[in-house]
Amino acid sequence: MNSAESWTDPDRLRRYRERVLGERRQLADALAHAADHQQRVLAELLEYNAGTGYGRAHSFGSIRTLDDFRKAVPINDYAALAPWIERMAAGESNVLSADDPAVYFTSSGTTGAHKKIPVTPSFMRRTFFPFYYAAWAPLIEHHPDVLARPDAVLNLKHDPVSAPPTTASGHPHVGASQVDFGARFGETLSAEPGTGAPWGTLPVSVERDDHLEKTYLRLRLAVQSDVRCVIGINPAMVAALPYQLALWWPRIVKEIRDGTLGGLPHTRPAPERAAELERLAERFGTVRPAHVWPHMRALFCWTTGMASLYLPRLREEFGVGVAALPAPVAASEGPVGVALDRHGSAGSLVVTASAYEFLDADEDVRPDAPTLTYRELEPGRDYHVVFSHIGGLYRYAVGDVVRVVDHVEGVPRLEYAGRSTRSDAAGERLRDSQVLRALATAAGGTGLDVRNAACRVERPKGAAPHYTFAVAARGPWSTPETDRFAALLDTAIGREAPAYRAARRAGRLGPARVRRLDGEAFLRDWHTSVASGIRPTQVKDRLFRQDIAQWERLTGAPGAARG
């Protein structure tokens, strides 16, 4: 169901719309009975997997309540479950889940190693698909014209593979965006918007790991279509698109004029379209997505985390009035929240998907750490997410931090706040979300435009360590402006993180410093990472960057300046 013909079938479009809106309605209705659903999810996963190796080892058969579950099962991270997962990947059955995984999602952890996330049919049916369909509801309901034609959506994350890598047992080990859910799980309506476009499956051969060339080819084809929506999930992919459009512009125009694709004959030459595009670039002095696609309606990606810094300016690149719709709060391991209305950043907890627990984000995630239920969460606070679902992940700390925005029907609406990774040079225990809020405060207090930022701990000889921030700016900053930004940033971090404030007062940390970069520094860095063979979906915004080689690559880019 990934063919262009399927997306032109009126009956298929009707059924797809009904499925999307129907799943959203059921999730919204479930909020009023959230406690019952949470109890049912726990009981179901315990009963279904009681006879597995993990279930027997942790006495699933005798567990009746969440308190029983907490006592019997420690909080796990991927490393704790990895030995069990490797047994499954080698072909052993009945290890974590009663049904065997049909595929393994890949996900890059904080160490860069690729995880193997087991994906079972029961997980897809009970946990994944209801949330997955509902996630598209705001787009389909409020921007229905994006489904008017198969080529109206540029889906940047869609990356099918004909010969996927496999585990030792022969099961595919791929990204979630590389799985055909229709073929693998019998979900005939599951193809995402944009997958039926002419670039959904590239018509020319490309090396599997040449992700940059794949990106170019899709963009070259899309320039000849009336694209109305861009889907990225990872906002760094969406942010890179205007940069790549300008970077590849001469090549794109030439190929349109010649009718080639990747240097090979493809379609009839289109000199009129090429001339039109050249006039646009000449008229505006540059080329932006808004020029190429004047009917753009929406961007679908995460709108929080690092994206909150650059999304307002990014929307200008795509056109006045373009909506930024929040992708769901989720990981390869499972869903957390999904937008059930037009809220710009938050989604309601998916109470039918997993049994959820939470820890205050300032606390350490230990195997025996006390947890909170969804009813105990407070608006304006950050929490670690721990979930358990029928697919074989039990009390799993996914490594993400969420922020509670408010409650609907007594159920929290959550937005992604950042990774749970801490930076701790002198007891400051800094988290992504604390620094991101401080960056926003400093930008607001100075009126300066921050496009992106990263930081690392510098340890000068004979002096206290300090944080250096690499900040991509739109336009030049004077030295006094840079100094004021650094001072406001240092103060704001102290307000967000009391341990940082204490370390500064005690002299264990020096004041934060700022290194100004030009506005395209992070885009070049992203582009370079993809060129090295990393899939675009995996090249994400990272705030803390202690790897010296990566830091020097970022800050040593042409045009960098010291503040």
Side-chain angles (χ1 to χ4, degrees):
M1 294 301 292
N2 285 331
S3 66
E5 290 74 20
S6 68
W7 283 101
T8 60
D9 179 359
D11 182 63
R12 195 261 181 204
L13 291 175
R14 176 189 59 79
R15 290 183 291 112
Y16 179 75
R17 179 181 173 87
E18 289 178 354
R19 178 71 182 274
V20 165
L21 299 182
E23 295 287 5
R24 192 264 303 272
R25 184 172 54 253
Q26 290 188 50
L27 291 186
D29 291 344
L31 299 181
H33 309 284
D36 292 339
H37 284 291
Q38 285 290 277
Q39 184 176 355
R40 177 195 57 77
V41 169
L42 180 61
E44 184 178 64
L45 72 87
L46 289 169
E47 180 181 3
Y48 188 75
N49 292 321
T52 64
Y54 194 91
R56 294 192 302 272
H58 294 84
S59 304
F60 277 14
S62 62
I63 296 174
R64 297 293 178 267
T65 67
L66 179 60
D67 283 340
D68 294 340
F69 191 50
R70 286 165 166 159
K71 294 173 184 175
V73 179
I75 295 176
N76 294 297
D77 57 11
Y78 182 81
L81 291 180
W84 301 84
I85 292 172
E86 290 299 332
R87 288 165 54 189
M88 299 169 75
E92 186 177 345
S93 294
N94 213 33
V95 179
L96 285 172
S97 56
D99 53 344
D100 292 332
V103 64
Y104 289 80
F105 287 163
T106 183
S107 175
S108 58
T110 55
T111 64
H114 287 288
K115 303 176 185 176
K116 297 185 183 76
I117 309 302
V119 181
T120 67
S122 60
F123 163 80
M124 296 297 288
R125 183 177 62 256
R126 302 293 293 148
T127 300
F128 183 82
F129 280 127
F131 137 88
Y132 170 76
Y133 284 110
W136 302 108
L139 176 65
I140 302 309
E141 181 177 33
H142 302 297
H143 304 279
D145 59 330
V146 303
L147 296 184
R149 305 178 328 279
D151 65 343
V153 176
L154 176 55
N155 191 324
L156 300 176
K157 74 183 189 69
H158 180 60
D159 184 28
V161 288
S162 56
T166 62
T167 64
S169 59
H171 291 91
H173 180 208
V174 291
S177 58
Q178 297 179 300
V179 178
D180 184 341
F181 295 139
R184 185 65 57 177
F185 296 102
E187 280 287 329
T188 58
L189 293 175
S190 61
E192 294 181 1
T195 56
W199 51 85
T201 300
L202 289 171
V204 296
S205 178
V206 185
E207 291 293 328
R208 186 177 69 186
D209 293 331
D210 194 351
H211 301 296
L212 210 55
E213 182 66 6
K214 291 179 185 178
T215 301
Y216 163 77
L217 295 171
R218 290 174 184 130
L219 185 56
R220 181 268 182 252
L221 291 170
V223 164
Q224 287 190 273
S225 292
D226 182 18
V227 173
R228 303 192 173 199
C229 173
V230 173
I231 294 172
I233 309 298
N234 173 6
M237 300 172 68
V238 182
L241 194 151
Y243 171 78
Q244 293 175 320
L245 185 65
L247 180 69
W248 289 326
W249 188 245
R251 182 184 177 192
I252 290 173
V253 173
K254 183 180 186 303
E255 291 221 282
I256 290 173
R257 179 184 293 111
D258 297 344
T260 59
L261 180 65
L264 301 174
H266 175 60
T267 57
R268 293 171 55 186
E272 298 85 0
R273 176 59 172 163
E276 177 188 4
L277 293 172
E278 286 180 324
R279 286 193 296 271
L280 280 173
E282 183 178 353
R283 176 184 176 187
F284 292 102
T286 185
V287 60
R288 292 189 169 93
H291 305 150
V292 179
W293 302 304
H295 301 118
M296 185 67 67
R297 298 284 186 267
L299 308 176
F300 188 85
C301 61
W302 296 320
T303 60
T304 57
M306 294 298 296
S308 63
L309 294 177
Y310 56 74
L311 196 59
R313 295 301 185 190
L314 181 61
R315 290 173 66 185
E316 293 179 6
E317 294 279 353
F318 285 88
V320 176
V322 170
L325 303 178
V329 182
S332 299
E333 294 90 339
V336 179
V338 65
L340 302 178
D341 53 25
R342 298 202 211 194
H343 195 283
S345 64
S348 293
L349 187 68
V350 190
V351 296
T352 61
S354 301
Y356 295 99
E357 301 170 69
F358 302 87
L359 292 84
D360 187 288
D362 287 329
E363 300 297 325
D364 292 327
V365 181
R366 306 184 315 275
D368 61 346
T371 58
L372 305 169
T373 68
Y374 75 89
R375 288 178 288 191
E376 299 173 279
L377 305 190
E378 301 176 20
R381 298 284 298 275
D382 293 350
Y383 298 93
H384 299 288
V385 181
V386 177
F387 57 63
S388 305
H389 59 60
I390 200 169
L393 297 184
Y394 308 111
R395 305 201 73 205
Y396 185 84
V398 72
D400 289 337
V401 171
V402 297
R403 190 169 183 84
V404 178
V405 172
D406 57 17
H407 290 79
V408 174
E409 299 274 7
V411 176
R413 281 201 295 191
L414 311 166
E415 64 181 23
Y416 174 70
R419 296 291 294 167
S420 60
T421 308
R422 288 196 182 99
S423 181
D424 193 4
E428 71 277 16
R429 295 166 57 86
L430 280 183
R431 293 184 282 106
D432 278 10
S433 56
Q434 295 168 324
V435 179
L436 287 173
R437 288 192 291 269
L439 282 164
T441 297
T446 56
L448 296 172
D449 183 13
V450 176
R451 288 194 166 188
N452 211 324
C455 65
R456 76 183 304 268
V457 177
E458 305 277 6
R459 301 177 185 273
K461 188 174 181 180
H466 65 268
Y467 281 82
T468 294
F469 285 81
V471 178
R474 186 185 191 184
W477 294 4
S478 68
T479 298
E481 285 179 323
T482 304
D483 292 343
R484 175 157 172 73
F485 182 89
L488 286 177
L489 176 60
D490 192 65
T491 301
I493 296 174
R495 282 197 297 265
E496 291 287 344
Y500 179 89
R501 185 170 66 248
R504 285 281 291 111
R505 287 176 175 172
R508 299 194 306 273
L509 279 177
R513 301 184 184 183
V514 172
R515 178 170 182 157
R516 290 175 286 115
L517 307 180
D518 70 275
E520 293 185 339
F522 284 83
L523 301 174
R524 286 193 299 270
D525 189 64
W526 187 91
H527 192 83
T528 300
S529 295
V530 175
S532 73
I534 305 174
R535 290 182 60 233
T537 54
Q538 298 295 329
V539 185
K540 301 173 183 176
D541 294 313
R542 295 297 187 210
L543 179 61
F544 300 122
R545 302 199 186 191
Q546 284 303 118
D547 184 286
I548 187 61
Q550 294 182 3
W551 179 261
E552 290 180 349
R553 187 182 74 187
L554 171 66
T555 59
R562 285 190 181 275

